[in-house]
Short mmCIF file of all heavy atoms in Angstrom, two decimals:
data_model
loop_
_atom_site.label_atom_id
_atom_site.label_comp_id
_atom_site.label_asym_id
_atom_site.label_seq_id
_atom_site.Cartn_x
_atom_site.Cartn_y
_atom_site.Cartn_z
N PHE A 1 -73.26 -62.96 -42.50
CA PHE A 1 -73.12 -64.41 -42.55
C PHE A 1 -72.11 -64.88 -41.50
O PHE A 1 -72.35 -65.83 -40.77
CB PHE A 1 -72.69 -64.86 -43.96
CG PHE A 1 -72.53 -66.35 -44.07
CD1 PHE A 1 -73.62 -67.15 -44.37
CD2 PHE A 1 -71.30 -66.96 -43.86
CE1 PHE A 1 -73.49 -68.53 -44.46
CE2 PHE A 1 -71.15 -68.34 -43.96
CZ PHE A 1 -72.25 -69.12 -44.25
N CYS A 2 -70.97 -64.20 -41.44
CA CYS A 2 -69.94 -64.57 -40.46
C CYS A 2 -70.45 -64.38 -39.03
O CYS A 2 -70.24 -65.25 -38.17
CB CYS A 2 -68.67 -63.74 -40.68
SG CYS A 2 -67.75 -64.20 -42.16
N ASP A 3 -71.14 -63.28 -38.76
CA ASP A 3 -71.71 -63.06 -37.43
C ASP A 3 -72.70 -64.16 -37.06
O ASP A 3 -72.66 -64.70 -35.96
CB ASP A 3 -72.41 -61.69 -37.35
CG ASP A 3 -71.44 -60.52 -37.34
OD1 ASP A 3 -70.29 -60.67 -36.88
OD2 ASP A 3 -71.83 -59.43 -37.82
N ALA A 4 -73.59 -64.50 -38.00
CA ALA A 4 -74.62 -65.51 -37.74
C ALA A 4 -74.04 -66.90 -37.53
O ALA A 4 -74.63 -67.72 -36.83
CB ALA A 4 -75.62 -65.54 -38.91
N ASN A 5 -72.85 -67.15 -38.12
CA ASN A 5 -72.24 -68.47 -38.02
C ASN A 5 -71.00 -68.49 -37.13
O ASN A 5 -70.25 -69.46 -37.14
CB ASN A 5 -71.90 -68.98 -39.43
CG ASN A 5 -73.14 -69.30 -40.21
OD1 ASN A 5 -73.74 -70.35 -40.02
ND2 ASN A 5 -73.56 -68.38 -41.07
N ALA A 6 -70.78 -67.43 -36.37
CA ALA A 6 -69.64 -67.32 -35.43
C ALA A 6 -68.30 -67.59 -36.12
O ALA A 6 -67.45 -68.30 -35.59
CB ALA A 6 -69.84 -68.24 -34.24
N VAL A 7 -68.12 -67.01 -37.31
CA VAL A 7 -66.86 -67.12 -38.04
C VAL A 7 -66.07 -65.85 -37.76
O VAL A 7 -66.48 -64.76 -38.18
CB VAL A 7 -67.09 -67.28 -39.56
CG1 VAL A 7 -65.77 -67.32 -40.31
CG2 VAL A 7 -67.91 -68.53 -39.85
N PRO A 8 -64.94 -65.93 -37.02
CA PRO A 8 -64.19 -64.72 -36.70
C PRO A 8 -63.61 -64.05 -37.95
O PRO A 8 -63.03 -64.73 -38.81
CB PRO A 8 -63.06 -65.20 -35.78
CG PRO A 8 -63.20 -66.67 -35.65
CD PRO A 8 -64.34 -67.13 -36.49
N TYR A 9 -63.78 -62.74 -38.03
CA TYR A 9 -63.28 -62.01 -39.19
C TYR A 9 -62.74 -60.66 -38.76
O TYR A 9 -63.05 -60.15 -37.68
CB TYR A 9 -64.36 -61.85 -40.26
CG TYR A 9 -65.54 -61.02 -39.85
CD1 TYR A 9 -65.61 -59.66 -40.17
CD2 TYR A 9 -66.59 -61.58 -39.14
CE1 TYR A 9 -66.70 -58.89 -39.80
CE2 TYR A 9 -67.69 -60.82 -38.76
CZ TYR A 9 -67.74 -59.48 -39.08
OH TYR A 9 -68.81 -58.72 -38.71
N GLN A 10 -61.91 -60.10 -39.63
CA GLN A 10 -61.30 -58.79 -39.38
C GLN A 10 -61.29 -58.02 -40.69
O GLN A 10 -61.00 -58.59 -41.75
CB GLN A 10 -59.88 -58.97 -38.85
CG GLN A 10 -59.19 -57.68 -38.49
CD GLN A 10 -57.84 -57.93 -37.80
OE1 GLN A 10 -57.41 -59.05 -37.62
NE2 GLN A 10 -57.18 -56.85 -37.43
N ILE A 11 -61.58 -56.73 -40.63
CA ILE A 11 -61.60 -55.90 -41.83
C ILE A 11 -60.19 -55.40 -42.13
O ILE A 11 -59.48 -54.92 -41.24
CB ILE A 11 -62.54 -54.69 -41.67
CG1 ILE A 11 -63.96 -55.14 -41.28
CG2 ILE A 11 -62.56 -53.84 -42.94
CD1 ILE A 11 -64.65 -56.02 -42.28
N VAL A 12 -59.80 -55.52 -43.39
CA VAL A 12 -58.52 -54.99 -43.87
C VAL A 12 -58.83 -54.05 -45.03
O VAL A 12 -59.38 -54.47 -46.05
CB VAL A 12 -57.57 -56.12 -44.35
CG1 VAL A 12 -56.28 -55.53 -44.91
CG2 VAL A 12 -57.28 -57.10 -43.22
N LEU A 13 -58.53 -52.78 -44.84
CA LEU A 13 -58.71 -51.80 -45.91
C LEU A 13 -57.54 -51.92 -46.87
O LEU A 13 -56.39 -52.01 -46.44
CB LEU A 13 -58.80 -50.39 -45.35
CG LEU A 13 -59.96 -50.12 -44.39
CD1 LEU A 13 -59.88 -48.70 -43.85
CD2 LEU A 13 -61.30 -50.37 -45.07
N THR A 14 -57.82 -51.90 -48.16
CA THR A 14 -56.77 -52.01 -49.18
C THR A 14 -56.69 -50.72 -49.99
O THR A 14 -57.58 -49.87 -49.91
CB THR A 14 -57.07 -53.19 -50.14
OG1 THR A 14 -58.31 -52.93 -50.81
CG2 THR A 14 -57.14 -54.51 -49.39
N LYS A 15 -55.63 -50.60 -50.73
CA LYS A 15 -55.44 -49.51 -51.69
C LYS A 15 -55.50 -48.13 -51.03
O LYS A 15 -56.00 -47.17 -51.63
CB LYS A 15 -56.44 -49.63 -52.84
CG LYS A 15 -56.36 -50.98 -53.57
CD LYS A 15 -57.32 -51.07 -54.72
CE LYS A 15 -57.23 -52.44 -55.37
NZ LYS A 15 -58.07 -52.56 -56.56
N THR A 16 -54.97 -48.01 -49.81
CA THR A 16 -55.02 -46.71 -49.12
C THR A 16 -54.19 -45.66 -49.84
O THR A 16 -54.50 -44.47 -49.76
CB THR A 16 -54.54 -46.84 -47.66
OG1 THR A 16 -53.22 -47.39 -47.64
CG2 THR A 16 -55.48 -47.72 -46.85
N ASP A 17 -53.16 -46.08 -50.57
CA ASP A 17 -52.35 -45.13 -51.34
C ASP A 17 -53.16 -44.50 -52.46
O ASP A 17 -52.94 -43.34 -52.81
CB ASP A 17 -51.11 -45.83 -51.90
CG ASP A 17 -51.46 -46.99 -52.81
OD1 ASP A 17 -52.24 -47.88 -52.38
OD2 ASP A 17 -50.96 -47.04 -53.95
N LYS A 18 -54.12 -45.22 -53.00
CA LYS A 18 -54.95 -44.70 -54.09
C LYS A 18 -56.08 -43.81 -53.57
O LYS A 18 -56.57 -42.94 -54.27
CB LYS A 18 -55.50 -45.85 -54.91
CG LYS A 18 -54.42 -46.61 -55.68
CD LYS A 18 -55.00 -47.78 -56.43
CE LYS A 18 -54.03 -48.54 -57.29
NZ LYS A 18 -52.66 -48.55 -56.98
N ALA A 19 -56.49 -44.04 -52.32
CA ALA A 19 -57.57 -43.26 -51.73
C ALA A 19 -57.07 -41.91 -51.23
O ALA A 19 -57.83 -40.94 -51.20
CB ALA A 19 -58.21 -44.03 -50.58
N GLY A 20 -55.83 -41.87 -50.81
CA GLY A 20 -55.31 -40.65 -50.19
C GLY A 20 -55.48 -40.71 -48.69
O GLY A 20 -56.34 -41.42 -48.17
N LYS A 21 -54.66 -39.96 -47.99
CA LYS A 21 -54.60 -40.03 -46.52
C LYS A 21 -55.93 -39.65 -45.86
O LYS A 21 -56.43 -40.38 -45.01
CB LYS A 21 -53.47 -39.13 -46.01
CG LYS A 21 -53.26 -39.23 -44.53
CD LYS A 21 -52.04 -38.42 -44.10
CE LYS A 21 -51.93 -38.35 -42.61
NZ LYS A 21 -51.16 -39.32 -41.97
N VAL A 22 -56.51 -38.53 -46.23
CA VAL A 22 -57.75 -38.07 -45.59
C VAL A 22 -58.89 -39.04 -45.86
O VAL A 22 -59.61 -39.45 -44.93
CB VAL A 22 -58.12 -36.64 -46.06
CG1 VAL A 22 -59.48 -36.22 -45.55
CG2 VAL A 22 -57.05 -35.65 -45.61
N ALA A 23 -59.06 -39.45 -47.11
CA ALA A 23 -60.15 -40.36 -47.47
C ALA A 23 -59.97 -41.72 -46.81
O ALA A 23 -60.95 -42.31 -46.34
CB ALA A 23 -60.22 -40.51 -48.99
N SER A 24 -58.73 -42.24 -46.75
CA SER A 24 -58.54 -43.56 -46.14
C SER A 24 -58.73 -43.50 -44.63
O SER A 24 -59.27 -44.44 -44.04
CB SER A 24 -57.20 -44.18 -46.54
OG SER A 24 -56.13 -43.40 -46.09
N GLU A 25 -58.36 -42.40 -43.99
CA GLU A 25 -58.60 -42.26 -42.55
C GLU A 25 -60.10 -42.15 -42.26
O GLU A 25 -60.59 -42.70 -41.28
CB GLU A 25 -57.82 -41.07 -41.99
CG GLU A 25 -56.34 -41.37 -41.85
CD GLU A 25 -55.53 -40.23 -41.23
OE1 GLU A 25 -56.14 -39.27 -40.70
OE2 GLU A 25 -54.30 -40.32 -41.30
N LYS A 26 -60.82 -41.43 -43.11
CA LYS A 26 -62.28 -41.34 -42.96
C LYS A 26 -62.91 -42.72 -43.14
O LYS A 26 -63.79 -43.11 -42.37
CB LYS A 26 -62.84 -40.35 -43.99
CG LYS A 26 -64.35 -40.19 -43.90
CD LYS A 26 -64.86 -39.19 -44.93
CE LYS A 26 -66.34 -39.01 -44.75
NZ LYS A 26 -67.10 -39.21 -45.95
N CYS A 27 -62.46 -43.45 -44.15
CA CYS A 27 -62.98 -44.80 -44.40
C CYS A 27 -62.70 -45.70 -43.19
O CYS A 27 -63.57 -46.47 -42.76
CB CYS A 27 -62.37 -45.37 -45.67
SG CYS A 27 -62.97 -47.03 -46.07
N LYS A 28 -61.50 -45.60 -42.63
CA LYS A 28 -61.15 -46.42 -41.47
C LYS A 28 -62.06 -46.08 -40.29
O LYS A 28 -62.59 -46.98 -39.62
CB LYS A 28 -59.68 -46.23 -41.09
CG LYS A 28 -59.25 -47.14 -39.95
CD LYS A 28 -57.76 -47.05 -39.69
CE LYS A 28 -57.35 -48.01 -38.57
NZ LYS A 28 -55.90 -48.00 -38.35
N SER A 29 -62.28 -44.82 -40.03
CA SER A 29 -63.14 -44.39 -38.92
C SER A 29 -64.57 -44.90 -39.11
O SER A 29 -65.19 -45.41 -38.17
CB SER A 29 -63.11 -42.86 -38.82
OG SER A 29 -64.01 -42.41 -37.86
N GLU A 30 -65.09 -44.76 -40.32
CA GLU A 30 -66.45 -45.23 -40.62
C GLU A 30 -66.55 -46.75 -40.48
O GLU A 30 -67.55 -47.27 -39.99
CB GLU A 30 -66.86 -44.80 -42.02
CG GLU A 30 -67.10 -43.30 -42.15
CD GLU A 30 -67.31 -42.83 -43.58
OE1 GLU A 30 -67.11 -43.63 -44.53
OE2 GLU A 30 -67.66 -41.66 -43.76
N THR A 31 -65.49 -47.45 -40.88
CA THR A 31 -65.48 -48.92 -40.80
C THR A 31 -65.44 -49.37 -39.34
O THR A 31 -66.14 -50.30 -38.95
CB THR A 31 -64.29 -49.49 -41.59
OG1 THR A 31 -64.37 -49.03 -42.94
CG2 THR A 31 -64.29 -51.01 -41.58
N VAL A 32 -64.62 -48.70 -38.53
CA VAL A 32 -64.55 -49.02 -37.10
C VAL A 32 -65.94 -48.85 -36.48
O VAL A 32 -66.42 -49.71 -35.73
CB VAL A 32 -63.49 -48.15 -36.38
CG1 VAL A 32 -63.63 -48.25 -34.87
CG2 VAL A 32 -62.09 -48.55 -36.82
N SER A 33 -66.62 -47.76 -36.80
CA SER A 33 -67.96 -47.51 -36.27
C SER A 33 -68.95 -48.58 -36.74
O SER A 33 -69.77 -49.05 -35.94
CB SER A 33 -68.47 -46.14 -36.71
OG SER A 33 -67.69 -45.12 -36.13
N ALA A 34 -68.88 -48.94 -38.01
CA ALA A 34 -69.82 -49.91 -38.58
C ALA A 34 -69.62 -51.32 -38.06
O ALA A 34 -70.55 -52.14 -38.11
CB ALA A 34 -69.70 -49.90 -40.11
N THR A 35 -68.44 -51.63 -37.55
CA THR A 35 -68.15 -52.99 -37.11
C THR A 35 -68.12 -53.12 -35.59
O THR A 35 -67.99 -54.22 -35.07
CB THR A 35 -66.80 -53.47 -37.68
OG1 THR A 35 -65.76 -52.58 -37.25
CG2 THR A 35 -66.83 -53.55 -39.19
N ALA A 36 -68.26 -52.03 -34.87
CA ALA A 36 -68.08 -52.02 -33.41
C ALA A 36 -68.97 -53.01 -32.67
O ALA A 36 -68.53 -53.61 -31.71
CB ALA A 36 -68.30 -50.60 -32.88
N LYS A 37 -70.19 -53.19 -33.09
CA LYS A 37 -71.11 -54.05 -32.35
C LYS A 37 -71.36 -55.39 -33.03
O LYS A 37 -72.32 -56.07 -32.70
CB LYS A 37 -72.42 -53.30 -32.13
CG LYS A 37 -72.22 -52.10 -31.23
CD LYS A 37 -73.52 -51.48 -30.82
CE LYS A 37 -73.26 -50.32 -30.04
NZ LYS A 37 -73.40 -49.55 -29.20
N ARG A 38 -70.51 -55.76 -33.95
CA ARG A 38 -70.69 -57.03 -34.63
C ARG A 38 -70.04 -58.14 -33.81
O ARG A 38 -68.91 -58.02 -33.37
CB ARG A 38 -70.10 -56.97 -36.03
CG ARG A 38 -70.95 -56.09 -36.94
CD ARG A 38 -70.44 -56.15 -38.36
NE ARG A 38 -71.44 -55.63 -39.27
CZ ARG A 38 -72.36 -56.37 -39.86
NH1 ARG A 38 -72.42 -57.65 -39.64
NH2 ARG A 38 -73.23 -55.82 -40.69
N GLY A 39 -70.77 -59.23 -33.64
CA GLY A 39 -70.36 -60.30 -32.74
C GLY A 39 -69.08 -61.05 -33.09
O GLY A 39 -68.28 -61.37 -32.22
N ALA A 40 -68.85 -61.33 -34.36
CA ALA A 40 -67.69 -62.15 -34.74
C ALA A 40 -66.52 -61.31 -35.26
O ALA A 40 -65.48 -61.85 -35.62
CB ALA A 40 -68.10 -63.17 -35.80
N CYS A 41 -66.69 -59.99 -35.28
CA CYS A 41 -65.67 -59.12 -35.87
C CYS A 41 -64.58 -58.77 -34.85
O CYS A 41 -64.87 -58.37 -33.73
CB CYS A 41 -66.32 -57.83 -36.38
SG CYS A 41 -65.20 -56.77 -37.31
N ILE A 42 -63.32 -58.93 -35.27
CA ILE A 42 -62.18 -58.48 -34.47
C ILE A 42 -62.16 -56.95 -34.61
O ILE A 42 -62.24 -56.43 -35.72
CB ILE A 42 -60.84 -59.06 -35.01
CG1 ILE A 42 -60.69 -60.59 -34.96
CG2 ILE A 42 -59.66 -58.49 -34.25
CD1 ILE A 42 -61.57 -61.51 -34.44
N ALA A 43 -62.03 -56.25 -33.50
CA ALA A 43 -62.19 -54.80 -33.48
C ALA A 43 -61.15 -54.02 -34.28
O ALA A 43 -61.43 -52.94 -34.76
CB ALA A 43 -62.21 -54.30 -32.04
N ARG A 44 -59.95 -54.53 -34.42
CA ARG A 44 -58.88 -53.77 -35.10
C ARG A 44 -59.08 -53.78 -36.62
O ARG A 44 -59.22 -54.83 -37.23
CB ARG A 44 -57.52 -54.38 -34.76
CG ARG A 44 -57.18 -54.28 -33.28
CD ARG A 44 -55.91 -55.03 -32.93
NE ARG A 44 -55.89 -56.44 -33.29
CZ ARG A 44 -56.48 -57.40 -32.59
NH1 ARG A 44 -57.14 -57.12 -31.49
NH2 ARG A 44 -56.40 -58.66 -32.97
N VAL A 45 -59.06 -52.62 -37.22
CA VAL A 45 -59.14 -52.48 -38.67
C VAL A 45 -57.73 -52.16 -39.17
O VAL A 45 -57.11 -51.21 -38.71
CB VAL A 45 -60.11 -51.35 -39.09
CG1 VAL A 45 -60.06 -51.10 -40.58
CG2 VAL A 45 -61.54 -51.70 -38.65
N CYS A 46 -57.22 -52.98 -40.09
CA CYS A 46 -55.89 -52.74 -40.67
C CYS A 46 -56.06 -51.93 -41.95
O CYS A 46 -56.91 -52.25 -42.78
CB CYS A 46 -55.20 -54.06 -41.02
SG CYS A 46 -54.73 -55.05 -39.61
N ALA A 47 -55.24 -50.90 -42.11
CA ALA A 47 -55.25 -50.09 -43.33
C ALA A 47 -53.95 -50.40 -44.09
O ALA A 47 -52.87 -50.23 -43.53
CB ALA A 47 -55.34 -48.62 -42.99
N THR A 48 -54.07 -50.86 -45.33
CA THR A 48 -52.90 -51.34 -46.06
C THR A 48 -52.81 -50.77 -47.47
O THR A 48 -53.81 -50.34 -48.05
CB THR A 48 -52.93 -52.88 -46.19
OG1 THR A 48 -54.05 -53.26 -47.00
CG2 THR A 48 -53.03 -53.57 -44.83
#
């Protein structure tokens, strides 16, 4: 929806302490890959 309507957005991963370091880093890598070619997405993924 955001891509179709040119609404700028950025992904913020939450609860990284509950996921654990390896799982949250894997999630971040997968998220970066999944968002790389999206038109309205800011490329930086924040892990929090």
Side-chain angles (χ1 to χ4, degrees):
F1 180 86
C2 288
D3 288 332
N5 291 281
V7 177
Y9 64 96
Q10 183 173 2
I11 305 298
V12 177
L13 299 177
T14 62
K15 304 181 181 184
T16 57
D17 59 308
K18 293 178 176 26
K21 185 174 172 92
V22 172
S24 62
E25 285 182 12
K26 180 179 183 233
C27 181
K28 184 174 182 177
S29 175
E30 290 172 351
T31 304
V32 167
S33 294
T35 59
K37 295 189 183 218
R38 289 186 164 269
C41 187
I42 297 357
R44 296 173 304 280
V45 173
C46 292
T48 65

